[in-house]
Amino acid sequence: MAFERTLILIKPDGVQRGLVGDIVGRFERTGMKIVGMKLMQMTEQLAAQHYKDHVGKGFYAGLVKFMTSSPLVALAVEGPKAVENCRKLMGKTFCTDAVAGTIRGDFGVSRGLNLVHGSDSAESAKRELGLFFKPEELIEYSRAIDAWSWNDEDKG
Ligand code: DAT
Ligand code: MG
């Protein structure tokens, strides 16, 4: 069992629509721990690094325009299988395909305005967390509820 950290972005549509609290709450209430969080403006340069695998694709220009259009909230989330667990909570890429109960299914109706980003593998998570957070911005701390959120078996 991988105990890991992942990068979540609440995209500009989520911030503009006043959904930051609801979306953060979706991750928080699973028991996973927020170890980093900030409001920030994505630059074109950061977008190119973050979305390096999509550079050159037809939707890339529109994606960058959207992501740099207004502030976003970056989160570092920690827990057992955090990468996969967060992707499960987010739902399918396009809100139009995401099922009810997921963030994209419950809060969105668009394809591209899909509210959240979540790293798709442990390797991407490591790389993306490094793009958005300095090491000292990721905070190691204990919560009383940790003992009721996961046990040694989950920590692997
Ligand atoms: P995800 O965000 O689910 O990891 P992705 O990494 O494949 O999806 O794509 C990154 C973002 O780019 C996605 O959130 C929305 C946009 N996108 C992806 N494929 C697209 C397409 N075919 N047309 C328009 N936008 C697209
Ligand atoms: Mg992706």
Side-chain angles (χ1 to χ4, degrees), residues 3-32:
F3 191 83
E4 59 197 6
R5 288 178 174 179
T6 188
L7 176 79
I8 298 297
L9 301 176
I10 302 177
K11 297 185 178 183
D13 54 333
V15 176
Q16 286 284 344
R17 291 179 53 210
L19 293 172
V20 172
D22 285 303
I23 294 173
V24 171
R26 291 291 179 111
F27 296 105
E28 220 177 6
R29 73 187 190 185
T30 63
M32 289 187 290

Side-chain angles (χ1 to χ4, degrees), residues 51 54 87 117-120 128:
Y51 284 124
H54 296 313
R87 297 278 298 186
H117 165 84
S119 308
D120 63 8
E128 293 174 2

Side-chain angles (χ1 to χ4, degrees), residues 1-3 31 79-80 145-156:
M1 178 78 62
F3 191 83
I145 65 155
D146 287 348
W148 297 99
S149 302
W150 52 67
N151 58 24
D152 288 345
E153 208 174 288
D154 297 309
K155 289 201 82 167

Side-chain angles (χ1 to χ4, degrees), residues 60-133:
Y60 181 73
L63 175 63
V64 173
K65 190 165 180 227
F66 164 52
M67 292 297 291
T68 58
S69 63
S70 184
L72 54 76
V73 172
L75 293 165
V77 176
E78 181 182 272
K81 295 176 80 173
V83 170
E84 187 185 326
N85 199 21
C86 287
R87 297 278 298 186
K88 179 186 74 186
L89 294 169
M90 288 161 50
K92 287 196 175 175
T93 297
F94 300 135
C95 300
T96 42
D97 302 326
V99 300
T102 63
I103 293 166
R104 287 164 168 168
D106 286 352
F107 297 126
V109 290
S110 167
R111 281 159 55 91
L113 306 182
N114 63 358
L115 297 153
V116 275
H117 165 84
S119 308
D120 63 8
S121 68
E123 298 71 47
S124 319
K126 202 161 187 264
R127 187 183 78 84
E128 293 174 2
L129 284 168
L131 293 176
F132 286 83
F133 291 99

